[in-house]
């Protein structure tokens, strides 16, 4: 069947293969995708078709197939097309193979002009890219970020599944938050005030009290901070972990270290094409991650770099970056800082015999905080004392305090910012590039 823009055949759509699977020795193949690029050389049209797995060149010759040639002349960038034809080896074609078409069909036409270039490497600022995210997501480099992200998180979950952790889901609508009142998004819940969840913290601990022993959640957390940085967003993809019957926070760090190494190895092995597209030379941290105390971190910053963080109870962005460079130069892209002072009520603090203020740690990867975690206070009486010292409104936590009061094993865990992890692994300047449809104080769509 033929119309002005198509010369069809009857190959079923289901038989189409990906561009990466086109074998030069095959008799006939069908591919489908968006038109990435058209080069019209007069009597010769090169059509580059793009699907999820890559690009393939289709060569239309007026002399060889006049009917097809006439059909392709009106093609526009980003039209969705299907091509059937014979694969031919070609040194000039991307991937070393091209297709000589026998059928060609425009399945859906794209409007033009496009508000954003897909195929050309034009420098566009991030805000324009995100305004036109639906098109920006089509770029092979953007797609590579999300394909890499999928490989990374599938491997991460694999590790926890294999180690016997239970995959959990905790509520996203809550009465209060564990991470601080100012960062909560209020919502109207029927006739009551409620909030979007900041963290599964309380629930994963309740599950430890309930005897679930080891859990993980790939979830979402909401933070209403008013920030304008390259590492904060309002809606975060969070990977939460909690395990019981531990001796101390080192058992938790061991889990984090091994699972992260496993997931990064998977990316290095399975996402080679994506890493190449993103121009990333991924170093998998094979050696033990250094574990330094908070005091040692401050000392190092002062003596090596003359840097004094403004808040003496935390490391600032610059401090993390300086320490990150310091350890990276020694072959350690990842390290832990252990024992932050003045920590939240749920962390174990001021343990007799400890040389650290709390059993709270942060993981720094490539100079940026990726996760926070530690051993928890499983003795409710002590936790309630700390809540009082810290002026925490206990009424919001009654269900949690009660749940932990019926016998709770020693436990600990951490929350890993998935978007930050992807940002660091893919070498992206801004966390929003690692999120399909990011949310920040100024962005609610697309
Ligand atoms: P914390 O508040 O440190 O700890 O969050 C854990 C990790 O989540 C990421 N993160 C963010 N990423 C992007 N934008 C934000 N606004 C943002 N806020 C946090 C960071 C951070 O390290 N309940 C504890 C975890 C625990 O102890 O298990 C918690 O939520 O990568």
């Amino acid at each position: 069947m033929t119309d002005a823009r198509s010369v069809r055949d009857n190959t079923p759509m289901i038989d189409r293969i990906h561009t990466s699977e086109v074998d030069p020795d095959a008799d006939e193949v069908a591919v489908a995708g968006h038109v990435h690029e058209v080069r019209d050389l007069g009597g010769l049209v090169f059509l580059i078709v793009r699907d999820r797995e890559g690009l393939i060149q289709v060569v239309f010759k007026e002399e060889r197939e006049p009917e097809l040639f006439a059909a392709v002349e009106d093609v526009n960038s980003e039209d969705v097309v299907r091509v059937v034809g014979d694969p031919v080896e070609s040194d000039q074609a991307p991937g070393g193979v091209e297709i000589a078409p026998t059928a060609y069909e425009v399945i859906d036409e794209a409007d033009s002009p496009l508000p954003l270039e897909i195929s050309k490497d034009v420098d566009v600022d991030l805000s324009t890219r995100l305004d036109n995210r639906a098109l920006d997501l089509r770029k092979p480099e953007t797609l590579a970020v999300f394909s890499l992200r999928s490989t990374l998180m599938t491997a991460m979950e694999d590790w926890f599944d294999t180690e016997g952790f239970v995959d959990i889901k905790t509520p996203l609508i809550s009465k209060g938050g564990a991470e601080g009142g100012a960062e909560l998004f209020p919502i109207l819940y029927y006739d009551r005030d409620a909030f979007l969840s900041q963290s599964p913290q309380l629930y994963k601990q309740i599950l430890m009290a309930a005897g679930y022993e080891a859990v993980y959640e790939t979830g979402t957390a909401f933070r209403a901070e008013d920030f304008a940085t390259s590492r904060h967003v309002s809606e975060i993809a969070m990977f939460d972990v909690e395990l019981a019957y531990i001796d101390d926070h080192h058992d938790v760090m061991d889990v984090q270290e091994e699972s992260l190494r496993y997931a990064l190895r998977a990316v290095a092995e399975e996402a080679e094409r994506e890493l190449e597209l993103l121009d990333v030379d991924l170093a998998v941290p094979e050696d033990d991650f250094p574990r330094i105390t908070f005091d040692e971190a401050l000392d190092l910053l002062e003596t090596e770099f003359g840097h004094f963080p403004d808040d003496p109870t935390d490391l600032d962005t610059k401090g993390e970056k300086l320490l990150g460079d310091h350890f990276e130069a020694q072959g350690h892209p990842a390290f832990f800082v252990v024992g932050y002072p003045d920590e939240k009520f749920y962390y174990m603090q001021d343990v007799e015999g400890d040389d650290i203020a709390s059993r709270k740690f942060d993981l720094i990867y490539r100079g940026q905080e990726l996760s926070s975690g530690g051993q928890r206070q499983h003795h409710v009486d002590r936790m309630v004392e700390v809540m009082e010292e810290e002026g925490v409104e206990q009424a919001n936590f009654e269900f949690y305090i009660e749940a932990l009061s019926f016998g709770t094993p020693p436990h600990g865990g951490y929350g890993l910012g998935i978007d930050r992890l992807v940002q660091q692994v893919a070498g992206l300047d801004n966390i929003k590039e690692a999120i399909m449809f990011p949310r920040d104080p100024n962005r609610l769509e697309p």
Side-chain angles (χ1 to χ4, degrees):
M1 205 186 122
T2 304
D3 63 33
R5 301 196 56 197
S6 301
V7 180
R8 296 196 179 89
D9 79 347
N10 293 322
T11 318
M13 188 63 101
I14 201 80
D15 288 347
R16 79 151 184 141
I17 58 170
H18 279 126
T19 53
S20 57
E21 296 165 329
V22 175
D23 175 357
D25 296 330
D27 284 344
E28 191 181 77
V29 293
V31 296
H34 288 95
V35 173
H36 190 65
E37 224 183 306
V38 192
R39 261 175 279 148
D40 188 344
L41 304 183
L44 195 63
V45 168
F46 291 98
L47 191 75
I48 313 288
V49 177
R50 182 187 75 242
D51 65 13
R52 201 184 67 185
E53 305 296 322
L55 305 170
I56 191 103
Q57 176 166 292
V58 187
V59 185
F60 294 79
K61 289 186 178 157
E62 188 169 18
E63 234 172 66
R64 191 175 60 192
E65 55 262 344
E67 206 185 355
L68 283 161
F69 189 84
V72 84
E73 282 230 295
D74 288 335
V75 75
N76 279 319
S77 285
E78 297 306 311
D79 283 352
V80 176
V81 298
R82 193 171 79 106
V83 176
V84 180
D86 305 319
V88 188
E89 241 172 276
S90 159
D91 291 345
Q92 283 89 42
V97 56
E98 62 189 25
I99 295 178
T102 52
Y104 159 79
E105 178 184 350
V106 176
I107 297 171
D108 195 44
E109 291 176 29
D111 282 354
S112 66
L114 297 164
L116 196 78
E117 277 290 348
I118 312 294
S119 65
K120 296 188 184 63
D121 201 10
V122 193
D123 228 0
V124 193
D125 62 38
L126 182 58
S127 163
T128 309
R129 282 183 57 199
L130 294 177
D131 288 345
N132 297 284
R133 192 57 158 168
L135 283 176
D136 183 62
L137 285 167
R138 297 183 179 204
K139 288 184 184 166
E141 296 77 15
T142 313
L143 205 153
V145 170
F146 295 104
S147 168
L148 180 154
R149 183 176 168 130
S150 172
T151 304
L152 178 72
M153 291 318 293
T154 303
M156 186 71 89
E157 290 178 345
D158 266 2
W159 191 90
F160 284 90
D161 289 336
T162 309
E163 295 294 320
F165 283 68
V166 179
D167 180 359
I168 59 162
K169 278 280 169 270
T170 58
L172 290 179
I173 299 177
S174 62
K175 222 180 116 187
E179 308 301 326
E183 299 173 12
L184 284 163
F185 279 112
I187 57 164
L188 184 63
Y189 188 67
Y190 302 101
D191 57 350
R192 276 166 290 166
D193 290 332
F195 301 94
L196 294 178
S197 168
Q198 288 177 318
S199 161
Q201 184 66 41
L202 307 178
Y203 294 95
K204 58 183 187 170
Q205 284 195 256
I206 290 174
L207 291 169
M208 293 303 100
Y212 283 67
E213 299 189 11
V215 300
Y216 77 89
E217 173 169 15
T218 306
T220 307
F222 301 89
R223 303 282 169 98
E225 302 160 271
D226 194 11
F227 51 76
T229 76
S230 58
R231 54 192 224 135
H232 287 92
V233 280
S234 313
E235 184 175 317
I236 316 157
M238 194 80 95
F239 191 77
D240 268 275
V241 172
E242 204 70 25
L243 58 148
Y245 299 104
I246 58 171
D247 283 319
D248 58 25
H249 49 298
H250 286 283
D251 291 338
V252 183
M253 286 189 273
D254 288 347
V255 164
Q256 170 141 44
E257 186 169 332
E258 279 178 42
S259 57
L260 183 62
R261 186 176 293 124
Y262 178 87
L264 291 176
R265 265 190 209 141
V267 170
E269 283 164 19
E270 295 164 33
E272 268 181 63
R273 191 175 76 88
E274 286 77 10
L275 290 170
E276 200 179 309
L277 261 173
L278 295 165
D279 199 17
V280 171
D281 184 12
L282 182 65
V284 179
E286 294 293 351
D287 296 337
D288 290 348
F289 298 7
R291 298 176 185 186
I292 59 165
T293 66
F294 180 75
D295 291 341
E296 286 167 345
L298 281 190
D299 252 15
L300 208 63
L301 284 176
E302 286 170 24
T303 52
E304 290 280 318
F305 306 102
H307 177 67
F308 300 83
D310 286 342
D311 175 358
T313 66
D314 207 357
L315 300 178
D316 55 0
T317 310
K318 184 173 174 198
E320 286 172 1
K321 177 87 183 65
L322 289 170
L323 290 172
D325 291 346
H326 172 85
F327 282 107
E328 193 128 26
Q330 298 176 15
H332 299 296
F335 64 97
F336 291 103
V337 178
V338 188
Y340 286 75
D342 291 345
E343 266 313 322
K344 297 193 183 82
F345 61 85
Y346 57 75
Y347 286 112
M348 195 168 266
Q349 313 184 28
D350 304 317
V351 180
E352 230 180 273
D354 271 8
D355 61 349
I356 45 177
S358 73
R359 292 188 174 179
K360 189 223 164 173
F361 62 78
D362 274 1
L363 174 72
I364 319 275
Y365 177 64
R366 291 188 152 168
Q368 177 159 283
E369 177 200 317
L370 270 198
S371 73
S372 292
Q375 184 175 5
R376 319 303 185 186
Q377 180 54 265
H378 61 285
H379 299 303
V380 168
D381 297 350
R382 177 64 194 134
M383 187 173 69
V384 169
E385 273 171 28
V386 176
M387 280 180 149
E388 276 162 14
E389 284 161 27
E390 293 181 357
V392 174
E393 182 72 69
Q394 278 178 50
N396 290 333
F397 298 101
E398 268 163 13
F399 70 101
Y400 162 77
I401 296 170
E402 189 189 80
L404 265 57
S405 69
F406 300 123
T408 302
H411 63 280
Y414 61 88
L416 168 82
I418 296 172
D419 312 309
R420 279 196 193 171
L421 174 62
V422 175
Q423 179 191 1
Q424 297 302 76
V425 173
L428 306 172
D429 291 336
N430 196 302
I431 188 171
K432 288 176 220 166
E433 295 175 74
I435 303 171
M436 286 184 172
F437 303 102
R439 294 287 176 257
D440 69 19
N442 302 312
R443 187 173 291 283
L444 198 49
E445 65 170 15

